[in-house]
Each structure stands twice: as structure tokens, then as C-alpha cells.
Amino acid sequence: MSELPLARRDQIAGRLSAGQAVIAAALATEFSVSEDAIRRDLRALAAEGRCRRVYGGALPMAGGVIPMAARIGQDRERKLALARTAARSIARGEFLFLDSGSTNLALVERLPDDFDLTIATNGIDIAAAVLHRQDLRLIVIGGSVHAAVGGCVDTDALIQVQRFNIDRCFIGACAVSAQGGISAVDPTDAAFKRTLLSLSRISVAMVTNEKLETRAPHRIASAKSISQITVEHDAPAARLALLRRAGATIATAAPPE
């Protein structure tokens, strides 16, 4: 019995995000659908910036990282649902760090009003969004901008962030799994995230379904070392069970509005 098209597409996207090449004929057999259906999936994923089409299948984006500009418009309502749940734990007067990423960008809209919050970020788009919130104080981490990451993760950025005592860090993750933990595709980005975690009292990762039980080359931290992993309302139960057995603390978001 074939899977629903969106569920199938999410599974294919997860493999591409983990750096795997995919072959249309093999996917058609696995999912019991026609190669034309798989090619439609791959065309849609390529249009979203998630893969590069090649003859017979698709490859991950160069370097394994989907450019930030391509990620901003993807799955907006799903990311807002994650952000709505994650924002509920924020306390008045906290010093927050929003790591560069499209889901953390969605969080800016969900931050509570007039909570005396200070926001530090290395993300260019996040900084611009925070600037439009008159009730938030903004600190921008500078340096050379990594276009795929969408922010600064170089040595200058690392030096600047080490001056902070962070109450709550929202960490970006390229992949999350029970065995591989939280991981990233880019080694410089991973090093920056590890430093962020070491400086943060509380850490939160908001994770869309396609990232669950996938792996990226550079490990950031174990799943149990993150204070809270926020997942979607329909996250696969089997994958969540693996994470919980690995010691992860899971919060499940409500469905998108």
C-alpha cells in the first residue's frame, strides 16, 4: 500500500537532508508507486531548494546545506506551531540566544510581548525580524556571514559569544537521532553550536519531522543533553520512542493553526 504523497516526500527529504543521494527507480519500488510519482516528489523538493535533480534521481544540496534563503519560506505554519509551544517556557527578563535557522526565525513572531527580553543572535534574518519588535532588546553577533547557515559562525563570532551567560538558547539542528544526537552538516557551524550550548543554562531544539532519526556528519551534543526537544504534533511515535530511550526530553507541539 503506497504512502500518502506528503508523508513520502517528507521521508525522501529526510534522507537528502542527511546527505544521502536517492534513486527514483529504487524509491518507486520501496514506496510501491510509479517512477513518475517519485519524479514529481523530486521536482517539488528541488523547487524548495532541498535537492539537486540529476538523471535517475537527486542529490543533496552542495555541501549538504540548504541555503537559508531557500529555507525561510518552507513549512512556515509547521515551524510557527513548534515556536508557539517552545515559547511558552520562556520566563520574564530572560537573556535568549536565537541560533541562526528558519525555525528560530519563526520563533520571533511567537516571543511573548513586553517580557523584558534580550535577544542575541548570529542570524541575519533573525536580527532583522527582532529589530521590528519594539519590546525586544537586540544584540547581533558579527563576523563573516556564512550564506548557507544564514549567519556568522566564524572565529570572530565565537569570541564574541563567549562573553555571554545565556539563560535559554534555541539551537538549530540539521539532524536529530537517538544514536547520533543533535548534529550539523557544516563543521564550523557545529563548533559554534557546541560553544553556545556550553554557555547556556537551558537549551531548546525545535525539530520538524524530516529531521528526526537522521544524521549529519558533525555531532553537536547527545539528545539527552538538550533541555527540551520540541517536535511536531504528528511526529512518528517510533522515532520519538527511540529518542526517549536515549534520555531526551520531548515536548509535542499543537497542530498548526
Side-chain angles (χ1 to χ4, degrees):
M1 183 176 179
S2 62
E3 302 226 3
L4 292 172
L6 289 179
R8 182 180 69 236
R9 194 172 299 170
D10 282 344
Q11 289 191 48
I12 296 170
R15 296 177 195 183
L16 290 161
S17 296
Q20 301 174 27
V22 295
I23 299 171
L27 291 174
T29 300
E30 177 183 349
F31 292 107
S32 301
V33 296
S34 68
E35 286 190 45
D36 282 342
I38 295 298
R39 282 192 285 269
R40 286 194 294 272
D41 290 341
L42 298 180
R43 281 197 296 271
L45 292 171
E48 294 171 357
R50 298 191 184 194
C51 68
R52 292 178 290 143
R53 292 292 310 281
V54 294
Y55 181 77
L59 297 174
M61 294 296 292
V65 179
I66 303 170
M68 178 66 173
R71 300 198 306 271
I72 289 176
Q74 291 178 356
D75 304 319
R76 173 174 161 77
E77 296 306 319
R78 293 166 57 198
K79 292 172 183 176
L80 284 170
L82 289 170
R84 186 168 63 251
T85 296
R88 289 181 184 140
S89 61
I90 294 171
R92 186 177 296 277
E94 282 191 331
F95 178 22
L96 310 178
F97 197 101
L98 273 56
D99 186 23
S100 181
S102 58
T103 308
N104 287 345
L105 174 60
L107 178 64
V108 177
E109 294 184 38
R110 299 303 189 192
L111 293 174
D113 295 330
D114 299 318
F115 245 47
D116 191 30
L117 299 176
T118 299
I119 312 298
T121 184
N122 62 324
I124 303 303
D125 296 288
I126 292 173
V130 172
L131 193 60
H132 287 92
R133 288 277 304 263
Q134 300 300 313
D135 59 326
L136 302 174
R137 289 184 294 274
L138 171 64
I139 300 173
V140 181
I141 301 301
S144 297
V145 176
H146 191 308
V149 173
C152 304
V153 291
D154 63 359
T155 303
D156 287 340
L158 277 173
I159 291 171
Q160 292 172 61
V161 80
Q162 288 175 22
R163 302 194 303 262
F164 296 152
N165 286 317
I166 300 166
D167 289 318
R168 192 180 305 266
C169 170
F170 290 88
I171 194 84
C174 299
V176 177
S177 71
Q179 185 175 10
I182 307 290
S183 53
V185 172
D186 183 86
T188 309
D189 186 31
F192 184 85
K193 295 176 191 301
R194 284 192 289 269
T195 300
L196 276 183
L197 290 178
S198 72
L199 300 166
S200 301
R201 184 170 57 88
I202 299 169
S203 56
V204 181
M206 297 181 287
V207 183
T208 49
N209 288 344
E210 64 270 12
K211 294 181 180 180
L212 290 173
E213 284 308 302
T214 64
R215 293 168 62 94
H218 303 284
R219 184 182 177 92
I220 300 165
S222 66
K224 68 179 180 181
S225 67
I226 304 299
S227 305
Q228 177 181 293
I229 299 176
T230 307
V231 299
E232 295 189 72
H233 74 288
D234 57 352
R239 298 181 186 183
L240 297 185
L242 290 172
L243 285 171
R244 289 192 175 99
R245 282 200 291 271
T249 300
I250 305 292
T252 301
E257 291 179 342

